[in-house]
Structure formats: C-alpha cells, structure tokens
C-alpha cells in the first residue's frame, strides 16, 4: 500500500477521486492529488484532432507549516503524485511531452491549509512516462496569452500589459499598475519583464526580478489577474 493510500484511509472517505479535507488548517496529500488532476484537466488543450497535450511538470505551493510537513512526506509522496498524473493522463488520453516531475515549494504568502498546484509543459530527452504519439510538429507555433478566458496573440516583439488605456493589452484590475508588465520576444525566446509595478508580477509564487523566460504553460500573476503563456499551432488560413 502506497503513502497516498495509507493517508487516504486515515482521512475517512474519498468520493470519485475528490477527497475530503483532512485535519482542519492542514493540507493533506490526498487533497494535493485531487487538485493535481483538476490542474491537468484545466490546462489540457488539443494539439490536433488526435492529440491533447497536458502538463507534465507540477509544483505544490505551501504555507510555512504545510511545507515543513511536506518535507516529512519526502520523495516517496512526490513519486506517488507523479504516478497519479501518469494514471490520469492515461485515463483521459492525454499526451505528455516529457517525464512527470512534482516538487513542493514554500510560499510565505499562503496561510496554513491553503495551497496551490501550478503546472507547465516541458519536453524531456528521456522517455516520458506516457508515450507520446509519433512526432508530428505543426507548421508553426504562435505565442499567445490567455487572460480571463480571452486569447491575445503576441504579434509584436514587445507587448505591454497594464491598467492604462495606452497599454497594448488593458487589464481591468485595481491591483495592476498603469504599465505593469512587458512581454518581450528576443532571439527566439519570450520573456516577462516587470516594469517597476507597485504590486509586482509573480511566476510560481516568486516575484519577477528583472525578467523571466516564459515556456508553454507558464502562469503569471499580477494583482488578481492570472495570465497563462501558450505556444499554440497557427490557425490555417489566418492569424491567431
């Protein structure tokens, strides 16, 4: 019996993969497993008619106390959470582009019992846990930002986001500065550059200092707004 199974039995009941909350004010591993599945479903998107890509790299952001408990769970739990992701990918028919990885991160801004699971997609040289379909690269990929259900193609080398009407992408959020963030494309890579905003810009719970390179699935937070960077196949016969 694995660590997750033992902990699940100790937390009373699990119904259709959604686990009950454990000790009040403490994050339980079975809750992380449930959130992991939901994160995969939320971030999965179709590459083409036969393939749906899901993230393969995951981080659980935990409060001070919960992070200390996670250190006690150690590598065995991280490995079992990887297995949870692999099994869910198989059950849903998702494609993974690289090995599954799971890590725990400390986030001092979270309270005990609060946690986040964030994900990204990374290609790996080693064999993925779930074999991908034969490689068939799209003719081209375009960088896209997903904000509040809307997609914005990055058609310029520099795109500024902010609350000002002069920004390239206007974000209606009082926690966002007038010129808050720049998405910059240089040398085939894409970077997020904080423009000295008051409240800062965050990736994976860490404040951007200077610039940070973006990869498919990277999640940026500024104010109350969540932004997801995507590399999507260019639509046929037109622009994204």
């Amino acid at each position: 019996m694995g660590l997750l199974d033992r902990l699940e039995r100790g937390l009373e009941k699990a119904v259709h993969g959604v686990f009950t909350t454990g000790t009040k004010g403490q994050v339980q591993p079975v809750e992380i497993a449930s959130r992991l599945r939901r994160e995969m479903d939320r971030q999965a998107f179709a590459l083409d008619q036969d393939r749906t890509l899901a993230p393969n790299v995951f981080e659980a952001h935990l409060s001070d106390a919960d992070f200390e408990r996670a250190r006690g769970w150690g590598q065995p739990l991280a490995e079992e959470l990887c297995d949870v992701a692999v099994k869910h990918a198989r059950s849903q028919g998702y494609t993974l582009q690289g090995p599954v990885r799971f890590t725990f991160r400390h986030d001092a801004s979270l309270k005990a019992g609060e946690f986040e699971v964030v994900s990204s997609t990374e290609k790996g040289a080693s064999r993925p846990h779930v074999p991908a379909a034969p490689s068939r690269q799209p003719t081209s990929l375009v960088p896209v930002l997903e904000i509040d259900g809307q997609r914005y193609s990055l058609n310029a080398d520099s795109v500024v986001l902010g609350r000002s009407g002069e920004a390239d992408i206007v974000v209606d959020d009082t926690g966002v500065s007038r010129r808050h963030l720049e998405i910059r494309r240089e040398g085939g890579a894409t970077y997020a550059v904080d423009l000295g905003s008051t409240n800062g810009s965050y990736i994976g719970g860490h404040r951007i200092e200077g610039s940070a390179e973006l990869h498919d699935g990277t999640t940026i937070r500024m104010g109350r707004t969540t932004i997801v960077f995507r590399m999507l196949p260019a639509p046929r016969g037109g622009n994204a």
Side-chain angles (χ1 to χ4, degrees), residues 40-41 44-54 85-96 130-133:
M40 291 184 75
D41 294 338
F45 68 97
L47 287 175
D48 53 40
Q49 185 175 358
D50 301 318
R51 290 195 299 166
T52 298
L53 183 67
V86 169
K87 291 176 182 177
H88 190 64
R90 286 179 177 150
S91 70
Q92 300 300 313
Y94 295 151
T95 293
L96 304 181
V130 178

mmCIF file of all heavy atoms in Angstrom, residues 40-41 44-54 85-96 130-133:
data_model
loop_
_atom_site.group_PDB
_atom_site.id
_atom_site.type_symbol
_atom_site.label_atom_id
_atom_site.label_comp_id
_atom_site.label_asym_id
_atom_site.label_seq_id
_atom_site.Cartn_x
_atom_site.Cartn_y
_atom_site.Cartn_z
ATOM 1 N N MET A 40 -4.473 19.307 -14.374
ATOM 2 C CA MET A 40 -4.216 18.686 -15.676
ATOM 3 C C MET A 40 -5.398 18.908 -16.617
ATOM 4 O O MET A 40 -5.213 19.258 -17.786
ATOM 5 C CB MET A 40 -3.946 17.193 -15.508
ATOM 6 C CG MET A 40 -2.644 16.863 -14.811
ATOM 7 S SD MET A 40 -2.304 15.092 -14.731
ATOM 8 C CE MET A 40 -1.810 14.790 -16.441
ATOM 9 N N ASP A 41 -6.608 18.713 -16.112
ATOM 10 C CA ASP A 41 -7.802 18.901 -16.947
ATOM 11 C C ASP A 41 -7.942 20.358 -17.380
ATOM 12 O O ASP A 41 -8.309 20.650 -18.523
ATOM 13 C CB ASP A 41 -9.055 18.471 -16.180
ATOM 14 C CG ASP A 41 -9.088 16.980 -15.892
ATOM 15 O OD1 ASP A 41 -8.403 16.218 -16.605
ATOM 16 O OD2 ASP A 41 -9.790 16.575 -14.937
ATOM 17 N N ALA A 44 -5.092 21.191 -20.032
ATOM 18 C CA ALA A 44 -5.001 20.372 -21.250
ATOM 19 C C ALA A 44 -5.605 21.113 -22.438
ATOM 20 O O ALA A 44 -6.624 21.793 -22.309
ATOM 21 C CB ALA A 44 -5.719 19.039 -21.039
ATOM 22 N N PHE A 45 -4.971 20.997 -23.585
ATOM 23 C CA PHE A 45 -5.533 21.597 -24.799
ATOM 24 C C PHE A 45 -5.158 20.755 -26.005
ATOM 25 O O PHE A 45 -4.147 20.053 -26.027
ATOM 26 C CB PHE A 45 -5.076 23.045 -24.979
ATOM 27 C CG PHE A 45 -3.603 23.209 -25.274
ATOM 28 C CD1 PHE A 45 -3.153 23.357 -26.573
ATOM 29 C CD2 PHE A 45 -2.682 23.211 -24.249
ATOM 30 C CE1 PHE A 45 -1.804 23.503 -26.836
ATOM 31 C CE2 PHE A 45 -1.321 23.362 -24.502
ATOM 32 C CZ PHE A 45 -0.887 23.507 -25.802
ATOM 33 N N ALA A 46 -6.004 20.822 -27.037
ATOM 34 C CA ALA A 46 -5.845 19.979 -28.223
ATOM 35 C C ALA A 46 -4.748 20.526 -29.132
ATOM 36 O O ALA A 46 -4.773 21.692 -29.509
ATOM 37 C CB ALA A 46 -7.160 19.883 -28.978
ATOM 38 N N LEU A 47 -3.798 19.652 -29.467
ATOM 39 C CA LEU A 47 -2.793 19.995 -30.465
ATOM 40 C C LEU A 47 -3.356 19.790 -31.861
ATOM 41 O O LEU A 47 -3.089 20.555 -32.777
ATOM 42 C CB LEU A 47 -1.543 19.143 -30.280
ATOM 43 C CG LEU A 47 -0.646 19.464 -29.088
ATOM 44 C CD1 LEU A 47 0.465 18.440 -28.994
ATOM 45 C CD2 LEU A 47 -0.061 20.862 -29.211
ATOM 46 N N ASP A 48 -4.078 18.723 -32.035
ATOM 47 C CA ASP A 48 -4.753 18.433 -33.295
ATOM 48 C C ASP A 48 -5.893 17.489 -32.978
ATOM 49 O O ASP A 48 -6.246 17.291 -31.813
ATOM 50 C CB ASP A 48 -3.773 17.837 -34.335
ATOM 51 C CG ASP A 48 -3.006 16.638 -33.800
ATOM 52 O OD1 ASP A 48 -3.630 15.812 -33.092
ATOM 53 O OD2 ASP A 48 -1.800 16.521 -34.085
ATOM 54 N N GLN A 49 -6.470 16.887 -33.993
ATOM 55 C CA GLN A 49 -7.658 16.065 -33.794
ATOM 56 C C GLN A 49 -7.392 14.847 -32.918
ATOM 57 O O GLN A 49 -8.280 14.380 -32.198
ATOM 58 C CB GLN A 49 -8.193 15.600 -35.156
ATOM 59 C CG GLN A 49 -9.515 14.827 -35.052
ATOM 60 C CD GLN A 49 -10.063 14.501 -36.421
ATOM 61 O OE1 GLN A 49 -9.491 14.883 -37.446
ATOM 62 N NE2 GLN A 49 -11.186 13.792 -36.460
ATOM 63 N N ASP A 50 -6.155 14.347 -32.937
ATOM 64 C CA ASP A 50 -5.852 13.097 -32.255
ATOM 65 C C ASP A 50 -5.039 13.253 -30.975
ATOM 66 O O ASP A 50 -4.798 12.267 -30.288
ATOM 67 C CB ASP A 50 -5.076 12.161 -33.202
ATOM 68 C CG ASP A 50 -5.856 11.861 -34.470
ATOM 69 O OD1 ASP A 50 -7.075 11.632 -34.356
ATOM 70 O OD2 ASP A 50 -5.260 11.873 -35.560
ATOM 71 N N ARG A 51 -4.587 14.460 -30.666
ATOM 72 C CA ARG A 51 -3.707 14.624 -29.507
ATOM 73 C C ARG A 51 -4.137 15.794 -28.639
ATOM 74 O O ARG A 51 -4.371 16.889 -29.146
ATOM 75 C CB ARG A 51 -2.253 14.830 -29.952
ATOM 76 C CG ARG A 51 -1.597 13.598 -30.541
ATOM 77 C CD ARG A 51 -0.084 13.793 -30.601
ATOM 78 N NE ARG A 51 0.275 14.931 -31.454
ATOM 79 C CZ ARG A 51 1.478 15.494 -31.469
ATOM 80 N NH1 ARG A 51 2.427 15.054 -30.665
ATOM 81 N NH2 ARG A 51 1.749 16.495 -32.272
ATOM 82 N N THR A 52 -4.229 15.526 -27.356
ATOM 83 C CA THR A 52 -4.491 16.564 -26.362
ATOM 84 C C THR A 52 -3.301 16.611 -25.416
ATOM 85 O O THR A 52 -2.980 15.613 -24.759
ATOM 86 C CB THR A 52 -5.777 16.277 -25.579
ATOM 87 O OG1 THR A 52 -6.890 16.266 -26.487
ATOM 88 C CG2 THR A 52 -6.014 17.346 -24.521
ATOM 89 N N LEU A 53 -2.637 17.743 -25.364
ATOM 90 C CA LEU A 53 -1.431 17.891 -24.561
ATOM 91 C C LEU A 53 -1.793 18.325 -23.148
ATOM 92 O O LEU A 53 -2.591 19.235 -22.955
ATOM 93 C CB LEU A 53 -0.501 18.924 -25.195
ATOM 94 C CG LEU A 53 0.853 19.153 -24.504
ATOM 95 C CD1 LEU A 53 1.720 17.916 -24.616
ATOM 96 C CD2 LEU A 53 1.561 20.356 -25.122
ATOM 97 N N ALA A 54 -1.205 17.665 -22.176
ATOM 98 C CA ALA A 54 -1.397 18.028 -20.770
ATOM 99 C C ALA A 54 -0.039 18.352 -20.144
ATOM 100 O O ALA A 54 0.993 17.858 -20.603
ATOM 101 C CB ALA A 54 -2.073 16.886 -20.008
ATOM 102 N N ALA A 85 -0.443 11.584 -11.740
ATOM 103 C CA ALA A 85 -0.512 12.326 -13.004
ATOM 104 C C ALA A 85 -0.456 11.380 -14.197
ATOM 105 O O ALA A 85 -1.192 11.545 -15.180
ATOM 106 C CB ALA A 85 0.629 13.338 -13.073
ATOM 107 N N VAL A 86 0.420 10.371 -14.135
ATOM 108 C CA VAL A 86 0.556 9.420 -15.237
ATOM 109 C C VAL A 86 -0.748 8.646 -15.448
ATOM 110 O O VAL A 86 -1.238 8.507 -16.574
ATOM 111 C CB VAL A 86 1.724 8.450 -14.967
ATOM 112 C CG1 VAL A 86 1.711 7.297 -15.957
ATOM 113 C CG2 VAL A 86 3.044 9.187 -15.044
ATOM 114 N N LYS A 87 -1.316 8.147 -14.364
ATOM 115 C CA LYS A 87 -2.558 7.377 -14.478
ATOM 116 C C LYS A 87 -3.695 8.238 -14.997
ATOM 117 O O LYS A 87 -4.520 7.783 -15.803
ATOM 118 C CB LYS A 87 -2.921 6.777 -13.118
ATOM 119 C CG LYS A 87 -1.966 5.683 -12.673
ATOM 120 C CD LYS A 87 -2.305 5.193 -11.268
ATOM 121 C CE LYS A 87 -1.309 4.130 -10.801
ATOM 122 N NZ LYS A 87 -1.587 3.686 -9.406
ATOM 123 N N HIS A 88 -3.751 9.483 -14.552
ATOM 124 C CA HIS A 88 -4.821 10.369 -15.025
ATOM 125 C C HIS A 88 -4.640 10.673 -16.508
ATOM 126 O O HIS A 88 -5.625 10.717 -17.259
ATOM 127 C CB HIS A 88 -4.825 11.655 -14.210
ATOM 128 C CG HIS A 88 -6.022 12.516 -14.467
ATOM 129 N ND1 HIS A 88 -7.313 12.120 -14.174
ATOM 130 C CD2 HIS A 88 -6.132 13.765 -15.014
ATOM 131 C CE1 HIS A 88 -8.157 13.070 -14.520
ATOM 132 N NE2 HIS A 88 -7.475 14.073 -15.025
ATOM 133 N N ALA A 89 -3.398 10.880 -16.932
ATOM 134 C CA ALA A 89 -3.143 11.122 -18.356
ATOM 135 C C ALA A 89 -3.599 9.935 -19.189
ATOM 136 O O ALA A 89 -4.214 10.095 -20.254
ATOM 137 C CB ALA A 89 -1.652 11.404 -18.584
ATOM 138 N N ARG A 90 -3.320 8.731 -18.729
ATOM 139 C CA ARG A 90 -3.738 7.537 -19.462
ATOM 140 C C ARG A 90 -5.256 7.420 -19.520
ATOM 141 O O ARG A 90 -5.829 7.106 -20.561
ATOM 142 C CB ARG A 90 -3.130 6.301 -18.812
ATOM 143 C CG ARG A 90 -1.638 6.138 -19.087
ATOM 144 C CD ARG A 90 -1.084 4.924 -18.396
ATOM 145 N NE ARG A 90 0.326 4.732 -18.725
ATOM 146 C CZ ARG A 90 1.210 4.173 -17.936
ATOM 147 N NH1 ARG A 90 0.842 3.766 -16.737
ATOM 148 N NH2 ARG A 90 2.466 4.020 -18.317
ATOM 149 N N SER A 91 -5.907 7.675 -18.388
ATOM 150 C CA SER A 91 -7.362 7.527 -18.344
ATOM 151 C C SER A 91 -8.067 8.541 -19.232
ATOM 152 O O SER A 91 -9.151 8.266 -19.770
ATOM 153 C CB SER A 91 -7.859 7.656 -16.897
ATOM 154 O OG SER A 91 -7.717 8.991 -16.425
ATOM 155 N N GLN A 92 -7.450 9.741 -19.401
ATOM 156 C CA GLN A 92 -8.069 10.790 -20.206
ATOM 157 C C GLN A 92 -7.537 10.838 -21.633
ATOM 158 O O GLN A 92 -8.019 11.633 -22.444
ATOM 159 C CB GLN A 92 -7.833 12.153 -19.545
ATOM 160 C CG GLN A 92 -8.403 12.271 -18.140
ATOM 161 C CD GLN A 92 -9.900 12.059 -18.100
ATOM 162 O OE1 GLN A 92 -10.647 12.614 -18.907
ATOM 163 N NE2 GLN A 92 -10.365 11.230 -17.165
ATOM 164 N N GLY A 93 -6.539 10.011 -21.948
ATOM 165 C CA GLY A 93 -5.970 10.019 -23.288
ATOM 166 C C GLY A 93 -5.085 11.218 -23.570
ATOM 167 O O GLY A 93 -4.929 11.610 -24.725
ATOM 168 N N TYR A 94 -4.496 11.805 -22.517
ATOM 169 C CA TYR A 94 -3.639 12.960 -22.706
ATOM 170 C C TYR A 94 -2.248 12.539 -23.195
ATOM 171 O O TYR A 94 -1.775 11.447 -22.879
ATOM 172 C CB TYR A 94 -3.458 13.729 -21.391
ATOM 173 C CG TYR A 94 -4.709 14.358 -20.847
ATOM 174 C CD1 TYR A 94 -4.874 14.541 -19.469
ATOM 175 C CD2 TYR A 94 -5.737 14.796 -21.687
ATOM 176 C CE1 TYR A 94 -6.013 15.134 -18.950
ATOM 177 C CE2 TYR A 94 -6.877 15.383 -21.169
ATOM 178 C CZ TYR A 94 -7.012 15.549 -19.801
ATOM 179 O OH TYR A 94 -8.144 16.130 -19.292
ATOM 180 N N THR A 95 -1.597 13.426 -23.917
ATOM 181 C CA THR A 95 -0.207 13.256 -24.319
ATOM 182 C C THR A 95 0.688 14.073 -23.402
ATOM 183 O O THR A 95 0.386 15.224 -23.106
ATOM 184 C CB THR A 95 -0.004 13.725 -25.780
ATOM 185 O OG1 THR A 95 -0.718 12.850 -26.662
ATOM 186 C CG2 THR A 95 1.479 13.703 -26.163
ATOM 187 N N LEU A 96 1.774 13.464 -22.946
ATOM 188 C CA LEU A 96 2.778 14.156 -22.155
ATOM 189 C C LEU A 96 4.057 14.231 -22.983
ATOM 190 O O LEU A 96 4.471 13.238 -23.567
ATOM 191 C CB LEU A 96 3.048 13.431 -20.834
ATOM 192 C CG LEU A 96 1.831 13.182 -19.934
ATOM 193 C CD1 LEU A 96 2.258 12.475 -18.653
ATOM 194 C CD2 LEU A 96 1.112 14.488 -19.612
ATOM 195 N N VAL A 130 4.290 8.495 -20.159
ATOM 196 C CA VAL A 130 3.222 8.140 -21.083
ATOM 197 C C VAL A 130 3.728 8.374 -22.497
ATOM 198 O O VAL A 130 4.005 9.508 -22.870
ATOM 199 C CB VAL A 130 1.955 8.990 -20.842
ATOM 200 C CG1 VAL A 130 0.879 8.639 -21.854
ATOM 201 C CG2 VAL A 130 1.443 8.762 -19.429
ATOM 202 N N PRO A 131 3.890 7.340 -23.325
ATOM 203 C CA PRO A 131 4.443 7.535 -24.667
ATOM 204 C C PRO A 131 3.585 8.484 -25.475
ATOM 205 O O PRO A 131 2.365 8.382 -25.507
ATOM 206 C CB PRO A 131 4.408 6.110 -25.258
ATOM 207 C CG PRO A 131 4.360 5.205 -24.070
ATOM 208 C CD PRO A 131 3.598 5.939 -23.020
ATOM 209 N N ALA A 132 4.225 9.439 -26.076
ATOM 210 C CA ALA A 132 3.514 10.383 -26.937
ATOM 211 C C ALA A 132 3.280 9.757 -28.294
ATOM 212 O O ALA A 132 3.931 8.786 -28.683
ATOM 213 C CB ALA A 132 4.338 11.660 -27.089
ATOM 214 N N ALA A 133 2.318 10.314 -29.017
ATOM 215 C CA ALA A 133 2.080 9.848 -30.380
ATOM 216 C C ALA A 133 3.281 10.192 -31.237
ATOM 217 O O ALA A 133 4.089 11.050 -30.880
ATOM 218 C CB ALA A 133 0.819 10.522 -30.927
#
